[in-house]
């Protein structure tokens, strides 16, 4: 049994938001508020930037009912950032602010880059001998975090993508005239989200071809694949990852490569429209490029209840783990079977192995031609999209959480 | 009391699909199948093209349960077309096919162009003395049909747009860094759909600025509007119609004006990305352009139950009207108040006045600056998005109607 550690807790959200990141926030905040060892619960305004600026919200002053609405409120309610810790100066400042508020529990919710932030904070605090338990809570629609079976946020995005692609399929196949539709889906280096479009086949409305960033993109092969389907069906519905790239590493959407986000990744987009122009020119057919854009990461109205429950569980587990002495780890999911059914178990992975390592779709879950995912992929993804959420509505429109955000 | 007319009925779907066009199909088909005077119920394969090709489906051979699933199946289940009747030859052929199958009831579901088709068919059949009752069923997400308070399809698209814009707002406002987001919404000449984004203010997540095609677009005014909001909030969320055009009639998205659809309308799109590039260059800020694209017209998962009920009612009323002797009319909605609440009444408008006339947002429902809709618009649109649909799911994915489509 670990020594009891009394002090305040702080929680922050970082990186691209998801439909359920606030469910993890609620998991952390609610559990922390209910934990006697935790004296105060603070929220970082815009992630780690909120600590650097000493702008912390007092979560204890929020209305309990509004906090609960976080379960169905998309995006990061406390604000997000893409700030990468650069200098020892940053870490010193973090230490200073933590000490000022007697913060002994540090919870950070994000993807690879956020786990990198956690690692640095954890290592530094250990080095300077400031006792603070640091636990990462996973989050990313991309599902590319290493060390966990899947990530909170992926199931809801996958459900949105499968549902939307099924609906778009109905539209794309409606005319008597020939049309080709190309749908671009998020994912820089991992194709989990694009692969999820294959779930639409359970609605009898699946894409004809799926292109993932795991395999090099070959324009000639792509053109002949599309042409073959089009000749047979007078239609073709393609889904493709924004991160699709040629064998030499050039992105298919190289037009948009100039802008960069704070972490030095290329800012993608435009894969569908680039290919639509090429296909239109070659085949002389009406081609429509569709980009699911931000919608796929914020469509809380279609969030999977399984994903919401698991996101909450991840947050709750982080607090319980830290209070019982755990630190330097990220909460992770393990896939288990209970009574013959999918069950999500909790494990804890070293932060360092989760940071900056990307998990991709195994080659054997992609067909030989590289134009579809296999049944193994479907079996993997399907349990994660189950369950309809019970979001609160007013006037048939979403009623999101309204936080007071009272600065400490 | 009109003379009883015994014979077959035919139903067709035309133009761009909607989330609820199949609810009208079910209204027509179910009611026709249950009407003793109607001997057979046929569906046109791809609208009027199905008559020209004599490719008709026998709707009586469909499973009743599958037919009912049409209530929640997006897009046109019988297939659509954009074929414009050109010659007397076409009309002769239509007459020939109708006579061959003893079709005495002709129901056609679509927008302005489809009502034009109805008018031509009705006039021709009257001229040649072939007794057939022709009734139009309105449909268009654009809500621009003249002679009706609103159109089936609009309410569901409006609900999708309001919900999605509210969710995107949460995402667009999440970072500590400055960002501008421009969302492009369908609507060539009428801004009803773009105006519907204002409903997001009921979720406390409304766009900052709304630009409608009813007023000429002024780039300098737009830039200063955006800059003003951005200076105050470090963010700006804009919604704009795809049909936004300068005072000289040039579309803001003129890049895409070359392609045309079958009716000679410019094929729009790219308004958001065009403006995003301009704003980014001028202000040096990260700007994201989002196009809701086909999603807004096929997202049956967010269809308004009010819209579904009314779409069904429109189809049902068309059959009842024709059987009781009506012809040459389009079913229309009138806004009534029952027990102090919104109620949708049915009227019948001459086909000729509905064809090729576009209904726009009244000037007094747009604010003086031309940057938002007024409360009158909100009051008009809000009742139309009410009610959550009860769609059938399998594996948490939509279970669409599966029709056999047995050709007669």
């Amino acid at each position: 049994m670990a020594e009891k550690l009394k002090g305040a807790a702080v929680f922050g959200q970082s990186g691209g938001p998801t439909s359920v990141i606030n469910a993890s926030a609620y998991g952390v905040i609610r559990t922390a508020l209910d934990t006697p060892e935790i004296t105060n619960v603070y929220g970082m305004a815009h992630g780690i930037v909120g600590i650097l600026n000493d702008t912390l919200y007092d979560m204890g002053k929020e209305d309990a009912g509004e906090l609960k609405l976080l379960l169905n409120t998309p995006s990061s309610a406390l604000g997000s950032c893409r700030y990468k810790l650069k200098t020892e100066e940053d870490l010193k400042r973090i230490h200073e602010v933590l000490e000022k508020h007697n913060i002994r529990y540090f919870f950070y919710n994000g993807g690879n880059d956020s786990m990198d932030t956690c690692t640095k904070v954890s290592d530094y605090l250990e080095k300077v001998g400031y006792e603070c338990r640091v636990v990462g809570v996973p989050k990313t629609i991309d599902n590319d975090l290493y060390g966990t079976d899947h990530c909170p946020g992926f199931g809801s995005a996958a459900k949105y993508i499968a549902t939307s692609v099924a609906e778009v399929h109905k539209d794309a196949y409606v005319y008597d005239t020939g049309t080709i539709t190309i749908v671009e889906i998020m994912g820089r280096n991992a194709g989990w989200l694009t692969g999820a479009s294959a779930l639409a086949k359970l609605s009898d409305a699946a894409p004809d071809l799926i292109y993932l960033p795991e395999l090099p993109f070959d324009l000639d092969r792509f053109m002949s694949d599309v042409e073959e389907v089009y000749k047979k069906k007078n239609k073709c519905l393609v889904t493709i990852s924004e991160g699709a790239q040629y064998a030499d590493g050039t992105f298919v959407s190289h037009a948009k490569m100039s802008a960069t986000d704070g972490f030095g990744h290329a800012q993608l987009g435009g894969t569908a429209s680039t290919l639509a122009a090429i296909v239109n020119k070659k085949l002389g057919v009406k081609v429509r490029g569709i980009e699911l854009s931000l919608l796929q990461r914020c469509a809380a109205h279609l969030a999977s209840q399984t994903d919401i429950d698991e996101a909450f569980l991840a947050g709750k587990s982080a607090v319980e783990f830290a209070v019982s002495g755990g630190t330097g780890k990220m909460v992770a999911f393990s896939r288990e079977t209970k009574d013959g059914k999918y069950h999500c178990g909790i494990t804890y992975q070293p932060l360092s192995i989760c940071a900056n390592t990307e998990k991709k779709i195994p080659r054997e879950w992609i067909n030989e031609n590289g134009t579809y995912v296999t049944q193994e992929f479907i079996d993997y993804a399907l349990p994660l999209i189950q369950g309809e959420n019970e979001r609160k509505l007013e006037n048939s429109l979403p009623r999101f959480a309204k936080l007071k955000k009272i600065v400490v």
Side-chain angles (χ1 to χ4, degrees), chain A:
Chain A
M1 192 65 195
E3 196 195 338
K4 279 202 176 180
L5 179 62
K6 212 165 166 98
V10 73
F11 169 74
Q13 302 174 308
S14 176
T18 79
S19 290
V20 303
I21 185 169
N22 288 327
S24 288
Y26 186 59
V28 169
I29 294 164
R30 185 68 269 154
T31 311
L33 286 171
D34 295 342
T35 299
E37 288 92 327
I38 296 178
T39 52
N40 296 81
V41 181
Y42 302 127
M44 307 179 201
H46 297 289
I48 201 71
V49 170
I51 300 222
L52 294 170
N53 295 338
D54 195 7
T55 309
L56 304 180
Y57 306 128
D58 189 343
M59 303 316 295
K61 294 201 172 136
E62 299 293 343
D63 175 82
E66 292 296 333
L67 277 180
K68 197 172 178 190
L69 288 176
L70 286 174
L71 287 170
N72 297 99
T73 300
S75 193
S76 310
L78 304 176
S80 188
C81 68
R82 288 201 176 276
Y83 188 83
K84 201 170 173 73
L85 293 180
K86 285 161 205 153
T87 58
E88 177 114 354
E89 216 52 46
D90 280 345
L91 292 161
K92 247 188 199 163
R93 171 68 179 155
I94 290 168
H95 175 202
E96 186 181 289
V97 174
L98 294 181
E99 195 150 25
K100 173 183 166 190
H101 298 284
N102 190 33
I103 291 168
R104 300 292 173 175
Y105 295 96
F106 181 100
F107 303 105
Y108 209 52
N109 193 185
N112 320 67
D113 295 318
S114 308
M115 294 311 133
D116 181 57
T117 298
C118 276
T119 309
K120 284 177 178 149
V121 170
S122 179
D123 290 353
Y124 183 82
L125 296 179
E126 203 185 325
K127 197 180 84 178
V128 299
Y130 179 77
E131 191 172 12
C132 181
R133 296 180 187 156
V134 177
V135 181
V137 182
K139 173 256 27 163
T140 169
I141 61 165
D142 292 337
N143 202 40
D144 58 355
L145 260 179
Y146 187 81
T148 183
D149 176 75
H150 58 281
C151 292
F154 170 64
S156 296
K159 181 173 188 151
Y160 176 82
I161 288 163
T163 302
S164 297
V165 167
E167 291 171 337
V168 164
H169 181 281
K170 287 284 164 199
D171 196 301
Y173 267 78
V174 81
Y175 287 112
D176 52 332
T177 48
T179 47
I180 292 170
T181 310
I182 303 174
V183 180
E184 175 178 340
I185 296 171
M186 281 183 169
R188 270 189 196 95
N189 300 312
W192 299 101
L193 289 173
T194 306
S197 65
L199 294 169
K201 77 179 189 181
L202 294 158
S203 286
D204 274 335
D208 297 300
L209 297 163
I210 297 176
Y211 295 91
L212 306 164
E214 276 80 359
L215 299 177
F217 185 79
D218 180 320
L219 189 59
D220 293 335
R221 281 283 303 273
F222 169 80
M223 285 302 306
S224 74
D225 294 343
V226 168
E227 210 168 345
E228 195 186 323
V229 173
Y230 181 73
K231 273 187 182 156
K232 218 185 308 177
K233 302 185 171 183
N234 198 31
K235 304 279 181 298
C236 185
L237 175 60
V238 177
T239 58
I240 185 163
S241 170
E242 61 172 351
Q245 46 192 286
Y246 297 106
D248 68 359
T250 320
F251 285 104
V252 175
S253 68
H254 56 128
K256 295 216 184 169
M257 270 195 64
S258 52
T260 53
D261 67 28
F263 286 99
H265 307 305
Q267 190 70 39
L268 302 179
T271 305
S273 55
T274 304
L275 289 176
I278 296 172
V279 174
N280 171 265
K281 201 173 168 189
K282 175 97 191 285
L283 301 184
V285 180
K286 181 174 174 175
V287 189
R288 197 188 277 265
I290 301 176
E291 211 184 317
L292 295 188
S293 192
L294 295 187
L295 302 163
Q296 63 202 298
R297 77 179 189 193
C298 64
H301 72 271
L302 257 187
S304 139
Q305 189 60 44
T306 298
D307 193 22
I308 293 173
D309 292 343
E310 292 178 357
F312 176 85
L313 179 67
K316 181 170 176 273
S317 301
V319 176
E320 292 171 349
F321 178 68
V323 169
S324 73
T327 188
K329 299 280 172 76
M330 181 188 84
V331 176
F333 293 154
S334 64
R335 185 172 296 237
E336 299 168 7
T337 306
K338 252 192 188 169
D339 306 326
K341 280 183 185 159
Y342 163 86
H343 175 77
C344 180
I346 295 288
T347 65
Y348 301 92
Q349 299 282 353
L351 281 171
S352 52
I353 73 154
C354 304
N356 298 316
T357 316
E358 282 174 326
K359 190 181 70 172
K360 300 186 179 191
I361 303 180
R363 180 61 186 90
E364 60 272 23
W365 287 11
I366 306 171
N367 72 1
E368 213 185 307
N369 295 339
T371 56
Y372 230 86
V373 290
T374 64
Q375 187 59 40
E376 283 93 333
F377 182 97
I378 304 279
D379 295 341
Y380 166 84
L382 193 57
L384 312 181
I385 70 162
Q386 299 305 302
E388 309 322 300
N389 68 74
E390 285 168 28
R391 64 203 176 103
K392 186 173 178 184
L393 297 170
E394 277 176 9
N395 288 301
S396 274
L397 288 166
R399 168 63 165 83
F400 299 135
K402 291 175 190 168
L403 301 186
K404 289 181 243 169
K405 296 192 183 174
I406 296 169
V407 175
V408 182

